[in-house]
Amino acid sequence: NAVFVSSRHQDWVIAYRHEDDAGGKAGSLLFKVGAQGDFALAGEGARWPYHQHSPKILPGGNLMLFDNGTTRPGTVDTDLAKLPASRAVEYALDTSGPPGTWTATQVWEFGSHDVRYVDTSTGTPIDVPYYASIIGNAQPTADGTVLVTEGALTEPATGQVFETTAKKSARIFEVTKDAEARVVFDMRVRDPAATTFYGYLSYRAIRIPTLYPASAGVTAKVVSR
């Protein structure tokens, strides 16, 4: 009996009561998930999301979302050494006790990184996290994987997505939820040059049943917008 709202610039996912029930009136606040919210954070290496997108409640009751990482304390999006990192993340929410005892346990996360730069002064390769300052999605699939949209990447990684000097791109990939996650699908949509055109950004992607007849031999399709 809840409606979940993502308040991105407050870094909270907020739950409101949907209909009147024994606990209170429709529209009343149930809880806030995030830093300085109503849950204690638990789980090894657990972190709260910052400037998140696309929260969803999974069949088992867990909360999954795309954590952009924008404004995460200790990060600076114009400093390669302190660059924020985006990720898909899942929390188990426990509200079984009275308020003040609730916990949000981080049970899974995946944030990718790659050697994408070389220090020109030393020749040392630099491992850089993928960071999408805006938009993005983490979508569970029927196969038990997660389809992730890093929808607003820039080159250089410290570039601002609305700058004309930065190349824009999107990355759509599918990752397993194994103990050692594997990327099983990886698609890049790149801007060939620095431009004001934002069509190379991707808000989100989902898997849908094929639109083709069985005789075409196509079994699945990714649709991005």
Side-chain angles (χ1 to χ4, degrees):
N1 189 28
V3 175
F4 284 78
V5 177
S6 177
S7 185
R8 181 182 189 242
H9 288 181
Q10 290 179 295
D11 305 313
W12 280 336
V13 175
I14 306 172
Y16 297 95
R17 186 172 279 104
H18 180 232
E19 297 178 341
D20 293 351
D21 62 18
K25 294 290 186 179
S28 56
L29 177 67
L30 292 172
F31 53 73
K32 304 183 296 293
V33 183
Q36 300 180 11
D38 298 313
F39 292 81
L41 184 62
E44 183 178 355
R47 295 174 294 165
W48 286 123
Y50 283 86
H51 278 43
Q52 72 285 336
H53 276 87
S54 69
K56 51 190 64 68
I57 300 299
L58 305 184
N62 285 3
L63 172 67
M64 177 178 285
L65 52 81
F66 181 77
D67 175 15
N68 292 76
T70 309
T71 72
R72 186 184 305 282
T75 64
V76 180
D77 60 6
T78 56
D79 185 339
L80 201 60
K82 299 180 180 179
L83 194 70
S86 299
R87 60 181 180 144
V89 62
E90 180 180 340
Y91 300 95
L93 305 180
D94 183 359
T95 58
S96 58
T101 67
W102 298 344
T103 58
T105 303
Q106 181 178 300
V107 296
W108 179 81
E109 69 168 342
F110 185 83
S112 55
H113 51 85
D114 202 355
V115 176
R116 290 185 281 158
Y117 296 92
V118 174
D119 187 325
T120 55
S121 62
T122 63
T124 305
I126 303 175
D127 197 19
V128 180
Y130 283 91
Y131 168 55
S133 61
I134 60 172
I135 61 182
N137 187 35
Q139 183 73 34
T141 74
D143 297 328
T145 59
V146 180
L147 188 66
V148 181
T149 305
E150 293 170 333
L153 303 175
T154 62
E155 184 183 334
T158 54
Q160 302 301 297
V161 73
F162 299 114
E163 290 178 345
T164 58
T165 55
K167 293 182 179 180
K168 289 82 175 178
S169 66
R171 182 185 182 209
I172 301 169
F173 66 93
E174 189 173 342
V175 61
T176 67
K177 295 180 71 176
D178 302 328
E180 294 188 10
R182 295 177 296 111
V183 174
V184 295
F185 171 85
D186 199 339
M187 182 174 75
R188 316 294 178 97
V189 181
R190 298 183 187 277
D191 195 342
T195 175
T196 57
F197 180 56
Y198 300 131
Y200 291 94
L201 306 184
S202 179
Y203 193 78
R204 64 187 52 171
I206 59 172
R207 283 202 175 275
I208 61 173
T210 178
L211 301 178
Y212 296 88
S215 59
V218 179
T219 58
K221 190 174 184 179
V222 173
V223 175
S224 171
R225 65 179 177 88

